[in-house]
Amino acid sequence: MVAELVRTWVAGWALSRRTPRPTELPWGLYVEVAVADPKEVGRLVLPEPSAATVRAAAASVEAPYTWLKFPGEPRDAQPWLPEGWVVDEEESGYLMTVGLRRTEPVAPDGYTTSVETDDGVTFVRVHDAVGGLAAQGQMAVLGQAGVVDRVVTQEAHRRRGLGGFVMRTLADEALARGARVGVLGATDDGRALYETLGWRLSTPLTECVYRP
């Protein structure tokens, strides 16, 4: 079950970010980062990690700032990593899921919403009274799964319910397109918000980076 969720999450992330489709490798998946980023050139994702598969995946890497991600506790990963690799506990997070349900949310007073779907990805944007972007999020729908990505509320607009509004709007849009389950990767702060909306922890996610 966890391995399937990880694969869904990776496929949805790639679609949402407009990267090439994940490449199948003997130990898991490789995703190329489409936009040049000096801190991430690509990511290896292991749906079913073990000491052997983590070592094999890490040993295949030559490019610095390649990331390795897999379900499991960060504290357990370091002994599996070869020289040059470190566990990034700040970037490590959680894989979460929810059964989607329709709520027909209404934007808080003073805000307007735009919803756009482009090539399989739905974008929700919330604007303030003068048209400035206050919050946003997006979701890629893959069959019965909707993978949430890039949910952000601008600093000046936090604690006004916008994050929850964006999440509920994405859920309604995903349901309209046939999705029944939501999947996302969350940080500590994000997990706190998502749990109030009914999302549940499926597994911790460990993130490691090659910095020789």
Side-chain angles (χ1 to χ4, degrees):
M1 179 63 173
V2 168
E4 182 181 345
L5 284 174
V6 171
R7 287 183 171 275
T8 298
W9 171 59
V10 174
W13 185 93
L15 178 59
S16 176
R17 302 295 178 99
R18 309 301 194 204
T19 74
R21 295 181 65 177
T23 301
E24 289 277 354
L25 296 168
W27 35 259
L29 303 162
Y30 177 75
V31 184
E32 180 183 343
V33 176
V35 178
D37 183 344
K39 293 187 178 179
E40 183 176 14
V41 300
R43 52 177 61 186
L44 310 171
V45 186
L46 281 59
E48 299 180 87
S50 66
T53 57
V54 169
R55 290 187 181 116
S60 73
V61 171
E62 296 181 356
Y65 291 97
T66 298
W67 288 76
L68 176 60
K69 304 167 186 274
F70 51 87
E73 292 286 355
R75 64 175 176 267
D76 298 332
Q78 193 64 58
W80 295 351
L81 297 171
E83 186 176 354
W85 284 88
V86 295
V87 176
D88 192 323
E89 296 201 17
E90 289 187 5
E91 290 294 326
S92 296
Y94 312 94
L95 189 65
M96 303 185 73
T97 58
V98 72
L100 298 174
R101 60 188 181 88
R102 183 171 296 282
T103 59
E104 299 182 358
V106 176
D109 289 345
Y111 294 95
T112 58
T113 312
S114 65
V115 179
E116 175 187 6
T117 297
D118 179 28
D119 197 19
V121 183
T122 296
F123 301 85
V124 173
R125 299 179 179 91
V126 182
H127 300 270
D128 62 19
V130 296
L133 184 63
Q136 62 187 327
Q138 59 200 65
M139 174 180 274
V141 173
L142 302 166
Q144 294 193 339
V147 180
V148 175
D149 188 27
R150 287 179 165 166
V151 176
V152 178
T153 301
Q154 300 302 316
E155 184 79 34
H157 300 276
R158 292 178 181 171
R159 294 182 174 81
R160 301 182 187 182
L162 296 183
F165 170 74
V166 168
M167 292 292 294
R168 292 186 179 98
T169 303
L170 287 170
D172 278 16
E173 293 294 324
L175 280 164
R177 294 172 53 210
R180 294 294 177 265
V181 177
V183 182
L184 59 78
T187 62
D188 283 327
D189 289 344
R191 177 183 176 182
L193 166 65
Y194 304 138
E195 285 181 335
T196 68
L197 300 173
W199 289 71
R200 296 183 178 180
L201 172 66
S202 292
T203 179
L205 285 173
T206 293
E207 303 214 16
C208 314
V209 59
Y210 183 49
R211 291 200 296 253

